[in-house]
Amino acid sequence: MDYAQVIVAMRVFAPPSVLPDISLTRGKIGRPRRRRASFAALFTAALVLLSAPASADQLKPFKDELFAYPGILESRDGGSYLVVDYREARDINQRDQIAERRVQGKYVYTAVRRVQQDLVLRTQVGDVRHFAVGATTNARYITVYLHGRGGSRKQGIDDFSFGGNFNRIKNLMAANGGLYLSPDFPDFGEAGAAQVAALIRHYAEQSPSAKVFVACGSMGGRICWLLASDKTVARRLSGILLLGSHWDEDFPASPAFKRRVPVFFGHGSRDTVFPVDKQEAFFRSLSAKARGYPARFVRFETGSHGTPIRMSDWRDALNWMLARSP
């Protein structure tokens, strides 16, 4: 835990009136604003907050009571395969203020925007426009979200869409000394994968001890699988999350598979884009090819293509991966 992580916690959890003008990108601290509380006292409180994780290498809770799975209909293989009770009337209509557009306020904590930046990383494979939320250096964790077709970097930082689930992952990363990234990329092939790989390498160099997770929604899964085959990226990965995405028959030959990088699958039973039975068959094939391979499948019963992005429990999935990461 370092000074930058303490500053992140202070900016997320303290009211603006008690904070100094701080820029993590420049590494400078400007003249403090007039404040009602002691800067030293606030610094100490943030230090205590960040130095007391819930358990070894596990994310601390954030609104768990609101984002936990509403009910488990079936559990197999020690929880490696779950069927979750999903109901549109409850999980959209009763959760959202405006259905599928704006979640109720209790599901979000927008103070995290204080540590959110819209940045451009200049690389040899092109400029990578991206949002960064949290500690851009010496992060404990790095989570990257890759959107699907028709999306952009803005999807992954929208606080109110998808039931507030993106707001939750932003807060989970910021509050746990981590970094959350949501980039743009030119396509779902080699060019897009090259830019995302460059982004991951850059931030991994700034945070050499960070656990790195890549979450891919829908067609973004194509880049997840390409990254799994990239030796320089695969050796840094601690987990891959496929959210309403597809399979890759070449994955068992990849460096990520050989390292036994955990894979989480979230899928709706009524997904008309990528059929659930094919994704489940692929999930089962991983254990057939490597006994005990760390893979988990969460099936949202009656859920559609976008349901896993809304309903997947980020903290539960990432903590499961942290307990199994190579």
Side-chain angles (χ1 to χ4, degrees), residues 286-306:
L286 298 183
S287 291
K289 290 181 171 62
R291 186 174 181 178
Y293 191 88
R296 192 179 204 188
F297 199 101
V298 177
R299 174 185 173 123
F300 297 97
E301 199 60 35
T302 77
S304 61
H305 185 55

Side-chain angles (χ1 to χ4, degrees), residues 4 16 34 36 40 70 74 85 89 100 126 129 153 165 171 183 187 200 206 244 248 259 267 273 285 305-307 323:
R34 201 173 88 184
R36 294 190 296 268
E74 184 180 348
D85 177 31
E100 298 187 348
R129 191 78 179 262
R153 73 189 188 285
N165 218 10
N171 276 286
D187 61 24
I200 292 173
Q206 307 306 309
D248 178 22
R259 287 190 63 237
H267 220 87
V273 180
S285 75
H305 185 55
T307 300

Side-chain angles (χ1 to χ4, degrees), residues 30-44:
R31 178 174 296 176
R33 302 175 188 150
R34 201 173 88 184
R35 51 192 184 269
R36 294 190 296 268
S38 163
F39 179 81
L42 184 59
F43 184 94
T44 301

